[in-house]
Structures are given as C-alpha cells and as structure tokens.
Amino acid sequence: CFVASSSIDVRLIFFQAVCIMRFLIIAGLVFMPFFAHAEDTFLTRADSYLLIWETVNRPAFETASEYTDVQEEDRGYLEISFGKRRGILIDDDEFRPQELVTLGDALLWVYRTRNIRELPDMQEVDLPSMMSDYPIIDTEHSLEGRVTRSDLISMIAKLDGQLRKEVHEVSFYA
C-alpha cells in the first residue's frame, strides 16, 4: 500500500511540473513581445550617454554642472557633467537629457570616449572622416536618425573590436 501511494505522488508531481513548464512557456511567448519591444525603443540623450560611459569603465570625477537642465539630483549628473568638462559633450548651455538622441550625437560620443583622435579633431564636421576610418554603421543612415539600445550596443562593440585589432597589430609589429 505504501509503495502504491509513492508512485501516485511521483506521477502527480511529474504532472504538476509539466503543467508549470507549459504555463511558463506560454507566458513567455505571450509576454516576449513586450520585452523585445523595450530593447528597440529609441534612447534619450541621457540614457545613450550613460550607456556609452558605462562601457568606457572610467570614473567620473566630481565637477560642477555646466548644463542648466542637468541638476545634481538627476541620474547621470556626475557622468554628464564630467563629459561636458572633458569636451566629450559640447551642447551650449543645455544637454536636453530627455530628448531622443540623434545618430550623429551618439557616434560622436562613442568616437570621443574611445579617443580615436585628438579631441579638437573630433568635431561634428569631422564625423564623415571618422566614420570612414572606423566604419561602425552603414553610411546611408541619416545622422539625424534615432538610435535604439541595440543599435548603440552594436556600434560600441564594433568600434571596440576594431580598436582591439588595431592595438594588437601595432603591438605585434612594435
């Protein structure tokens, strides 16, 4: 009698586990579009710069904000203020953190944070030349276009890969 009840319990547990797995699979299929869509929403200027800064893995030192629309209590205040002071971000008096970032701004920030050239040689007018030297997007994209998180991560990964290869080749021949 004891053995029979154990086998029933095992079958019941197995049946429950299968039901739970089916539920999780169906729930995943139902809710996946919501999560996939979040990956492809356009980034704000603040979010894109903070993502770029995070990949640089450098500390941002305390500095007074030079932007009238970025306050000390704002997320990314230290990184944005430091970027402005270092010349990575050059946007007059306002950063406009909640506006959508343009492809041109994102590219400029990625190139500047990677120091592909001296800072005075990395202005907006130099962007076509930088894109030619380090092609990380198709040149037919409009620089006024918007950028998603996956686009930005892809650009960063491509440039970092090109720079690793360049450093490797230079050190190999040195």
Side-chain angles (χ1 to χ4, degrees):
C1 185
F2 181 76
V3 175
S5 67
S6 293
S7 64
I8 291 173
D9 290 342
V10 170
R11 285 184 280 169
L12 181 61
I13 291 171
F14 178 76
F15 177 74
Q16 289 173 339
V18 168
C19 287
I20 290 171
M21 288 175 40
R22 285 182 182 164
F23 171 77
L24 292 174
I25 290 170
I26 291 170
L29 292 174
V30 169
F31 291 108
M32 188 178 294
F34 296 109
F35 297 114
H37 178 69
E39 183 71 19
D40 286 332
T41 57
F42 294 125
L43 289 174
T44 64
R45 291 171 55 83
D47 290 338
S48 59
Y49 182 72
L50 291 176
L51 178 60
I52 293 167
W53 187 260
E54 183 180 311
T55 63
V56 174
N57 199 22
R58 292 185 191 155
F61 300 103
E62 190 150 346
T63 181
S65 177
E66 298 180 27
Y67 289 117
T68 58
D69 58 351
V70 179
Q71 305 304 316
E72 193 169 348
E73 63 274 359
D74 293 340
R75 185 176 69 87
Y77 165 81
L78 187 61
E79 294 83 356
I80 293 168
S81 299
F82 186 74
K84 167 75 171 176
R85 188 167 154 251
R86 298 285 297 170
I88 297 168
L89 302 172
I90 302 174
D91 284 331
D92 300 329
D93 294 331
E94 292 184 342
F95 179 65
R96 304 178 314 278
Q98 297 309 316
E99 285 185 17
L100 296 179
V101 70
T102 63
L103 178 58
D105 283 341
L107 284 168
L108 204 52
W109 299 342
V110 169
Y111 289 135
R112 286 177 178 166
T113 56
R114 273 40 182 193
N115 295 316
I116 65 163
R117 296 180 180 169
E118 295 296 322
L119 199 52
D121 298 326
M122 289 192 287
Q123 303 306 313
E124 194 170 348
V125 296
D126 302 311
L127 207 45
S129 171
M130 291 185 283
M131 292 169 60
S132 174
D133 293 346
Y134 296 94
I136 58 176
I137 62 161
D138 293 329
T139 54
E140 68 246 11
H141 286 91
S142 167
L143 295 179
E144 294 302 314
R146 303 302 179 204
V147 178
T148 65
R149 181 177 178 81
S150 57
D151 293 336
L152 187 56
I153 290 171
S154 174
M155 290 188 294
I156 292 168
K158 284 179 186 176
L159 182 58
D160 287 349
Q162 291 171 5
L163 293 174
R164 271 193 301 278
K165 182 180 179 200
E166 187 176 275
V167 168
H168 173 73
E169 289 174 357
V170 169
S171 65
F172 181 73
Y173 291 110

